[in-house]
């Protein structure tokens, strides 16, 4: 998942970015609203953390501009004052949740994951597709009750596919949502991840969880369902 | 006597009444004197006439031939005008045919002296009497002392005076009424700038205007300029205050956030990390609480009344987003017409905290009722959650929160609400919802 962090305080921004990267996010960051808006318009952001008190362009204006440009990813606002007037203004401008500074990184992460799940139609932290269960909080994947051992990137690819279960996801899309801008990217690596995932999730080659659509991308064929 | 107009009118009317009374009195006196003088002159003329007609008879007494009298009223009995001649003892030597009764004279005038007085006749009627003392030389060459008397009844004089007084009173009353009307008009014109000023202050109070911009008289200018300066200062002060609070919030909370982030990392051993996070949590709550308390505007003069409904709608929309996963049903019963005189930030803080608490604890239903009664806004927020723990209800509202005594999971929301209610001199009560079986918060604020 690709997260955008717009925060003018260097310490907080670095901390949040590092924490999110440690927990599987590809993170873009900016220290002012204008640069933030540029990132919003240029990159396929999945979720954003935006401070309300930003220089150059305020967080409220950034959210408004993003929404006006048709970007509908979930947005979590950070506010220092914590007054309801600020929260309401942010939420009315198009944000989806708020967090009052100072906050715990765990809470921020939990809120972002909840926003991501909700935006892709999942209401529980566990995503169920066929016999596969992916827990977004613990980042554990189970196949018919057995824990499947995945690398960080394999997890990221599977999480993205499960969030978009049933949809066609192109290789470029996967790359963009998993890698940061300055990472060395090679779309062939995606093919490697997909191959490994197929092997780990379907050792007997009976399930066929990931379908390849030539020239278009991949699709998770497993049916979404709620807890069993 | 709270009205300036009534005060001025009362004083001016009193002055007018006294002035008119004195004028009436003086005019009356002057005229009476004038009339008496005229009467005196007239009687004196009659005396001269009588003197000219007097002659000594065979007995040596001074008499007048009736035919010699020029004034016909002397010849008519009881005509009201009489004349007589008295000797040195005051005995009549002659009287005009008109005189049918006797007149009582207290004193005879000296020779050559004119004396004018009011006298009584035997019936007690008041008459004007003019007497003149003379020495009359008889044919024997001996001078004898006589008094000439002319008397006129006062009836005619009194009637004239009465008539004049009537006219005078009528004119004085008429001019009094005219002056009173003029005075009312002058007052209205003179006090018009005050009425205009009051109206303008009203529009500022209603929020339609920022300051007084009308042209006013020199006497009012210090007042309007003072008011404008006060309004400007108040606004500037509020802006500065809010900005200072923002700066303070930002500069306190950013390092707290950074410290919190450090506390989250595994580089610090578990035991000190727990203590660090605990203390950071306390600091966060204290800072939050004190900042919110300081940001509460409270009751203020010249606050624009604003509709309550849109504020509630905004908060409900916002909470609907934040608690999307709970699919809460918000039931808001608010009259569209309710306007409140309170700072919008305060109202949002108040309702935001109440509805946020209700949303956090409810199962799926939150209810808000608001109504105005006798200028007080009454708000009731209920939910279908577990309700307040009854033994802790008093502690929940405790103001001046201390983080270590703070309730688990309650945050500072209710304490902030209590602070705001206190700043507006309102009441708050916590209890059990009879309708939804969860928590119920009732409050009443004098901001209607």
């Amino acid at each position: 998942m690709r997260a955008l962090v717009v925060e003018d305080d260097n310490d907080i921004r670095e901390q949040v970015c590092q924490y999110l990267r440690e927990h599987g996010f590809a993170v873009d960051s900016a220290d002012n609203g204008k640069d933030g808006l540029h990132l919003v318009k240029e990159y396929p952001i999945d979720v954003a953390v935006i401070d309300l008190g930003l220089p150059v362009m305020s967080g409220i204006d950034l959210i408004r501009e993003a929404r006006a440009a048709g970007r509908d990813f979930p947005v979590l606002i950070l506010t220092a004052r914590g007054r309801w007037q600020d929260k309401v203004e942010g939420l009315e401008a198009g944000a989806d949740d708020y967090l009052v500074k100072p906050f715990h990184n765990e809470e921020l992460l939990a809120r972002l994951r909840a926003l991501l799940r909700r935006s892709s139609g999942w209401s529980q932290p566990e995503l169920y597709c066929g016999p596969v269960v992916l827990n977004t909080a613990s980042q554990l994947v189970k196949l018919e009750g057995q824990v499947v051992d995945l690398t960080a990137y394999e997890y990221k690819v599977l999480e993205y596919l499960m969030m978009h279960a049933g949809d066609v996801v192109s290789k470029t899309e996967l790359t963009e949502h998993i890698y940061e801008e300055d990472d060395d990217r090679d779309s062939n690596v995606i093919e490697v991840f997909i191959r490994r995932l197929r092997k780990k999730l379907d050792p007997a080659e009976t399930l066929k969880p990931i379908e390849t659509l030539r020239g278009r991308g991949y699709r998770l064929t497993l049916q979404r369902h709620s807890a069993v | 006597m709270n009205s300036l107009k009534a005060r001025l009118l009362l004083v001016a009317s009193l002055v007018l009444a006294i002035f008119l009374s004195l004028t009436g009195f003086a005019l009356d006196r002057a005229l009476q004197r004038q009339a008496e003088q005229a009467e005196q002159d007239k009687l004196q003329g009659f005396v001269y006439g009588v003197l000219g007609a007097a002659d000594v008879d065979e007995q040596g007494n001074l008499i007048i031939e009736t035919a010699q009298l020029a004034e016909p009223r002397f010849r008519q009995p009881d005509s009201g005008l009489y004349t007589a001649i008295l000797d040195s003892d005051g005995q009549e030597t002659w009287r005009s045919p008109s005189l049918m009764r006797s007149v009582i004279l207290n004193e005879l005038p000296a020779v050559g002296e004119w004396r004018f007085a009011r006298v009584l006749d035997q019936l007690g009627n008041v008459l004007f009497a003019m007497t003149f003392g003379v020495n009359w030389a008889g044919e024997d060459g001996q001078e004898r002392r006589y008094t000439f008397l002319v008397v006129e009844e006062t009836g005619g004089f009194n009637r004239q005076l009465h008539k004049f007084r009537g006219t005078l009173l009528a004119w004085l009353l008429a001019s009094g009424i005219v002056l009173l009307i003029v005075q009312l008009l002058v007052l209205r014109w003179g006090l018009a700038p005050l009425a205009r000023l009051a109206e303008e202050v009203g529009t500022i109070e209603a929020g339609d205007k920022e300051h007084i911009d009308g042209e006013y008289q020199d006497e009012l200018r210090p007042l309007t300029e003072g008011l404008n300066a006060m309004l400007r200062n108040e606004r500037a002060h509020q802006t500065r205050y809010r900005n200072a609070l923002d700066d303070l919030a930002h500069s306190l909370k950013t390092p707290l956030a950074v410290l919190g982030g450090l506390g989250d990392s595994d580089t610090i051993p578990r035991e000190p990390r727990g203590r660090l996070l605990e203390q950071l949590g306390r600091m966060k709550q204290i800072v939050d609480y004190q900042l919110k308390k300081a940001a509460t505007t409270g009751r203020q003069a010249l606050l624009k009344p604003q509709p309550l409904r849109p504020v509630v709608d905004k908060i409900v929309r916002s909470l609907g987003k934040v608690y999307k996963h709970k699919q809460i049903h918000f039931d808001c019963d608010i009259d569209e017409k309710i306007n409140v005189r309170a700072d919008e930030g305060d109202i949002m803080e108040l309702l935001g905290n109440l509805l946020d608490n209700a949303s956090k604890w409810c199962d799926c239903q939150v209810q808000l009722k608001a109504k105005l009664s006798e200028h007080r806004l009454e708000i009731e927020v209920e939910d279908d959650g577990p309700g307040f723990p009854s033994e802790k209800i008093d502690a929940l509202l405790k103001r001046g929160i201390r983080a270590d005594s703070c309730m688990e999971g309650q945050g500072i929301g209710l304490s902030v609400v209590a602070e705001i209610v206190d700043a507006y001199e309102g009441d708050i009560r916590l209890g059990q919802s009879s309708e939804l079986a969860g928590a119920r918060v009732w409050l009443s604020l004098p901001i209607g």
Side-chain angles (χ1 to χ4, degrees):
Chain A
M1 292 290 145
R2 190 173 188 129
L4 169 69
V5 177
V6 192
E7 160 66 61
D8 57 327
D9 185 88
N10 290 334
D11 291 328
I12 296 184
R13 191 181 62 251
E14 289 308 320
Q15 246 178 32
V16 168
C17 290
Q18 197 194 332
Y19 191 81
L20 292 181
R21 281 189 191 110
E22 282 168 12
H23 290 82
F25 282 88
V27 186
D28 296 300
S29 68
D31 61 2
N32 67 71
K34 210 174 157 206
D35 292 351
L37 185 63
H38 172 75
L39 293 172
V40 163
K41 287 185 170 167
E42 292 300 312
Y43 300 111
I45 308 289
D46 291 309
V47 68
V49 180
I50 297 174
D51 183 35
L52 286 185
L54 288 174
V56 188
M57 175 190 259
S58 79
I60 299 281
D61 289 338
L62 168 55
I63 297 167
R64 283 208 187 100
E65 294 270 339
R67 294 297 188 229
R71 297 282 187 267
D72 60 354
F73 51 80
V75 172
L76 182 140
I77 48 176
L78 300 177
T79 148
R81 282 207 307 181
R83 295 262 297 168
W84 268 94
Q85 206 163 13
D86 303 333
K87 297 178 199 168
V88 166
E89 200 188 353
L91 291 164
E92 291 270 294
D96 300 273
D97 202 357
Y98 67 89
L99 211 49
V100 179
K101 285 186 193 172
F103 51 86
H104 287 298
N105 286 334
E106 288 102 324
E107 183 164 13
L108 175 69
L109 182 66
R111 299 279 190 103
L112 292 183
R113 283 187 172 145
L115 286 177
L116 278 170
R117 275 199 331 275
R118 266 165 22 201
S119 73
S120 43
W122 294 93
S123 58
Q124 298 296 319
E126 292 93 17
L127 317 184
Y128 295 88
C129 285
V132 182
V133 182
L134 182 142
N135 187 315
T136 53
S138 62
Q139 303 207 342
L140 271 181
V141 177
K142 290 181 181 174
L143 175 68
E144 284 169 343
Q146 297 295 312
V147 176
V148 183
D149 192 21
L150 297 180
T151 65
Y153 277 102
E154 287 163 9
Y155 173 83
K156 287 183 195 182
V157 171
L158 181 63
E159 186 189 58
Y160 195 86
L161 286 174
M162 284 182 78
M163 287 275 194
H164 299 89
D167 298 343
V168 181
V169 180
S170 73
K171 236 188 273 182
T172 324
E173 190 181 339
L174 267 175
T175 320
E176 281 179 339
H177 286 275
I178 283 162
Y179 285 106
E180 288 178 29
E181 210 40 44
D182 37 3
D183 279 356
D184 237 356
R185 291 189 294 178
D186 180 358
S187 62
N188 291 330
V189 178
I190 296 291
E191 286 175 26
V192 178
F193 293 147
I194 295 286
R195 203 158 53 235
R196 285 202 220 143
L197 275 174
R198 278 179 177 144
K199 212 173 267 175
K200 289 182 179 177
L201 294 176
D202 184 23
E205 289 186 33
T206 50
L207 195 59
K208 304 231 183 286
I210 302 167
E211 180 184 14
T212 306
L213 295 115
R214 196 159 299 276
R216 290 166 63 198
Y218 305 100
R219 178 162 60 196
L220 194 80
T221 55
L222 304 173
Q223 288 297 307
R224 285 183 189 217
H225 59 92
S226 48
V228 266
Chain B
M1 189 70 56
N2 270 330
S3 153
L4 268 185
K5 200 185 247 180
R7 274 172 172 229
L8 288 173
L9 201 61
L10 182 79
V11 171
S13 304
L14 272 177
V15 168
L16 187 66
I18 292 170
F19 171 76
L20 286 180
S21 308
L22 283 176
T23 308
F25 181 71
L27 277 176
D28 183 63
R29 290 310 298 260
L31 190 103
Q32 197 171 346
R33 189 155 298 168
Q34 179 69 33
E36 272 179 25
Q37 185 63 50
E39 181 73 24
Q40 205 174 332
D41 290 347
K42 191 173 82 182
L43 292 188
Q44 207 171 8
F46 285 135
V47 170
Y48 280 124
V50 173
L51 263 176
D55 207 353
V56 181
D57 69 359
E58 288 128 21
Q59 283 85 41
N61 286 326
L62 195 60
I63 56 149
I64 296 163
E65 284 293 329
T66 310
Q68 294 287 312
L69 287 170
E71 173 61 42
R73 281 168 73 206
F74 283 132
R75 295 194 294 266
Q76 272 175 329
D78 261 341
S79 67
L81 183 66
Y82 322 112
T83 181
I85 300 170
L86 311 175
D87 62 15
S88 54
D89 300 328
Q91 296 302 310
E92 279 180 17
T93 60
W94 176 86
R95 62 157 63 184
S96 67
S98 60
L99 185 54
M100 304 294 284
R101 46 193 149 162
S102 57
V103 172
I104 302 152
L105 278 183
N106 294 328
E107 227 182 324
L108 295 177
V111 173
E113 185 196 0
W114 291 96
R115 183 168 286 184
F116 180 75
R118 281 183 166 82
V119 295
L120 297 174
D121 64 8
Q122 83 243 40
L123 300 172
N125 296 319
V126 181
L127 306 144
F128 286 120
M130 179 60 107
T131 48
F132 183 56
V134 290
N135 273 332
W136 197 280
E139 286 184 353
D140 50 1
Q142 208 176 342
E143 286 198 338
R144 288 163 79 173
R145 167 90 166 77
Y146 291 102
T147 299
F148 281 84
L149 167 70
V150 174
V151 179
E152 190 174 28
E153 286 178 358
T154 52
F157 175 86
N158 284 341
R159 268 195 302 282
Q160 214 182 338
L161 202 63
H162 187 74
K163 202 172 147 192
F164 164 76
R165 279 185 175 146
T167 317
L168 181 67
L169 193 67
W171 276 105
L172 283 178
L173 272 179
S175 51
I177 290 169
V178 168
L179 280 175
L180 214 60
I181 291 171
V182 168
Q183 190 181 302
L184 266 174
L185 292 175
V186 166
L187 268 180
R188 177 174 295 182
W189 178 72
L191 292 178
L194 280 180
R196 204 149 48 86
L197 182 61
E199 200 178 313
E200 209 169 345
V201 170
T203 56
I204 292 173
E205 210 173 6
D208 297 338
K209 247 185 186 180
E210 292 253 306
H211 52 86
I212 298 169
D213 50 12
E215 278 291 315
Y216 286 95
Q217 284 61 29
D218 292 349
E219 292 87 343
L220 286 178
R221 216 165 285 148
L223 180 71
T224 57
E225 281 166 5
L227 260 175
N228 275 340
M230 212 178 79
L231 287 171
R232 262 198 313 276
N233 279 347
E234 169 102 4
R235 288 194 187 105
H237 176 255
Q238 252 188 21
T239 315
R240 269 202 312 278
Y241 186 69
R242 287 255 154 106
N243 288 344
L245 278 180
D246 282 353
D247 291 348
L248 188 64
H250 203 76
S251 49
L252 274 176
K253 288 186 163 190
T254 305
L256 277 177
V258 175
L259 280 176
L262 283 180
D264 285 340
S265 82
D266 299 332
T267 52
I268 300 175
R270 181 175 292 272
E271 202 273 331
R273 182 152 45 122
R275 294 228 321 266
L276 174 69
L277 290 179
E278 186 195 312
Q279 293 305 311
L280 281 174
R282 277 183 67 167
M283 281 168 77
K284 171 185 146 81
Q285 283 209 324
I286 292 166
V287 168
D288 254 351
Y289 177 76
Q290 294 297 344
L291 280 176
K292 281 184 180 174
K293 184 179 159 187
T296 301
T297 309
R299 289 187 83 172
Q300 256 189 330
L302 304 180
L303 268 180
K304 183 182 179 175
Q306 51 176 341
L308 182 66
R309 179 90 210 194
V311 177
V312 173
D313 286 347
K314 272 191 209 172
I315 296 173
V316 166
R317 270 201 302 274
S318 295
L319 287 170
K321 272 186 169 181
V322 175
Y323 293 96
K324 202 174 180 179
H325 53 288
K326 286 182 85 168
Q327 296 290 321
I328 299 171
H329 175 70
F330 289 96
D331 182 9
C332 296
D333 178 11
I334 304 169
D335 193 335
E336 296 278 347
K337 281 177 285 203
I338 292 185
N339 285 320
V340 293
R341 272 178 199 278
D343 178 72
E344 190 180 344
D346 288 349
I347 286 293
M348 264 201 179
E349 198 58 31
L350 188 81
L351 293 173
N353 278 308
L354 285 178
L355 290 171
D356 186 32
N357 265 355
S359 307
K360 197 182 289 170
W361 292 96
C362 77
D363 187 31
C364 63
Q365 229 183 331
V366 173
Q367 188 174 294
L368 181 138
K369 284 182 202 158
K371 63 171 186 203
L372 273 183
S373 77
E374 289 171 8
H375 295 289
R376 290 184 80 89
L377 172 70
E378 285 183 17
I379 295 177
E380 212 176 355
V381 178
E382 296 168 86
D383 64 61
D384 60 349
F388 297 116
S390 55
E391 71 280 8
K392 288 176 181 168
I393 276 188
D394 291 338
L396 283 171
L397 285 180
K398 204 167 261 173
R399 295 177 40 234
I401 190 174
R402 285 173 49 206
D404 53 0
S405 64
C406 176
M407 209 73 54
E408 188 67 32
Q410 276 295 342
I412 57 168
L414 273 177
S415 304
V416 170
V417 168
E419 272 306 334
I420 295 171
V421 169
D422 194 60
Y424 281 90
E425 294 160 21
D427 296 318
I428 179 165
R429 265 173 247 156
L430 305 185
Q432 189 84 23
S433 162
S434 51
E435 239 175 286
L436 300 179
R440 170 180 180 271
V441 180
W442 174 91
L443 45 92
S444 157
L445 300 167
I447 53 175

